[in-house]
Amino acid sequence: MYPNKHKQIVTSLMDGRFITIDESYFNIVKENQDFYLDFFHKSFGFELKNTQEFYYLISEETNENTSRDISIFFSIFCYELDKDGKNFMDELGFSDFHIDEIIEYIKNSTWTDIVKSNKQLNDADSIKRLVGSTMVKRNIAIKHSDDKYSFTKAYKFFIDFSRELIKSDLNQKTTD
C-alpha cells in the first residue's frame, strides 16, 4: 500500500518540481519520509533531499543545465536587487514582481557578459520562458494575474547553492 497521493508526489518530484511546505503533498512526504527516501533510492537511484520548507530529488547522473541557469538567474537578480538597496531575501520571500520588472533587472545588469552568453537570459522572451514556464513548472515561481510572479520557498535552494559555490571558490583561492 502506497501513501496517499503517491503517484502525484512521484510524478512531481520526477518532473524536477520542488514540493514546498505550502502544498498538501509536503506533509504526506514528511509523514512518509523514510518510505520515500528508500523508494527513490531503490527505484531510480535518486536521493530525496529536504529542508524544513521543501523536498526535491538529486541524481549523480544528471547534467542539468536548467538548474545552472536558474542559479545564474537568481545570482544576478539578487545582486541587482541588493544594488538597488533592497533586501533580496525579503523581496524574494514576500514580494510579487511584474515580468517586465524582472526582465529590466536582468537586461540592465552589470553582469552583461554572463547575461549575453546564457541562452535563457539573453533576451526578454527567453527570460519570460525561464520564469513563466520553467520556474512555474518546477514550483519555483507562481504566476499571478497581470503577469506578476512570486517565488516559492524553493528559491532558497538556488541561493544556498550560490553561497556554497562562493565558499568553495574562496576556499580554493586561499589554498592556492
Side-chain angles (χ1 to χ4, degrees):
M1 192 70 159
Y2 292 112
N4 190 27
K5 304 288 184 184
H6 176 72
K7 184 177 180 180
Q8 294 91 330
I9 290 167
V10 171
T11 301
S12 288
L13 289 166
M14 293 295 290
D15 284 346
R17 284 187 89 246
F18 287 78
I19 294 180
T20 58
I21 194 168
D22 36 357
E23 294 179 274
S24 61
Y25 298 160
F26 182 88
N27 287 329
I28 297 169
V29 177
K30 185 176 183 175
E31 291 166 9
N32 298 281
Q33 186 168 314
D34 290 340
F35 167 80
Y36 280 111
L37 285 166
D38 194 49
F39 174 82
F40 283 109
H41 178 71
K42 286 182 177 174
S43 300
F44 306 103
F46 294 164
E47 188 177 352
L48 178 67
K49 301 292 258 178
N50 72 296
T51 70
Q52 293 179 344
E53 298 176 300
F54 54 87
Y55 283 92
Y56 60 98
L57 290 178
I58 62 169
S59 169
E60 295 296 320
E61 298 159 14
T62 187
N63 181 11
E64 239 258 68
N65 292 332
T66 301
S67 291
R68 179 204 64 201
D69 293 341
I70 293 170
S71 293
I72 292 169
F73 166 84
F74 277 116
S75 296
I76 293 171
F77 192 54
C78 290
Y79 177 83
E80 296 303 326
L81 286 170
D82 186 63
K83 194 172 84 176
D84 226 13
K86 298 177 180 178
N87 179 321
F88 65 85
M89 293 298 282
D90 287 345
E91 291 292 315
L92 291 177
F94 304 109
S95 297
D96 292 345
F97 300 93
H98 192 277
I99 191 64
D100 292 337
E101 179 183 10
I102 295 170
I103 291 167
E104 285 303 307
Y105 271 116
I106 301 297
K107 215 171 77 177
N108 296 323
S109 173
T110 54
W111 299 93
T112 54
D113 292 343
I114 293 171
V115 170
K116 286 179 183 175
S117 67
N118 188 299
K119 291 179 185 174
Q120 295 204 52
L121 299 176
N122 63 10
D123 63 51
D125 289 338
S126 298
I127 297 168
K128 284 179 184 178
R129 275 191 305 279
L130 178 66
V131 175
S133 179
T134 303
M135 292 172 79
V136 167
K137 179 182 170 201
R138 291 181 178 224
N139 197 28
I140 301 164
I142 299 170
K143 186 177 189 322
H144 303 286
S145 60
D146 300 329
D147 283 332
K148 288 191 174 187
Y149 293 86
S150 62
F151 295 100
T152 69
K153 301 294 184 196
Y155 78 86
K156 292 179 180 182
F157 171 82
F158 299 96
I159 301 300
D160 290 344
F161 178 75
S162 296
R163 282 185 183 140
E164 289 303 314
L165 280 177
I166 290 167
K167 283 181 191 174
S168 66
D169 187 47
L170 290 175
N171 288 339
Q172 181 64 35
K173 286 179 181 177
T174 57
T175 58
D176 286 348

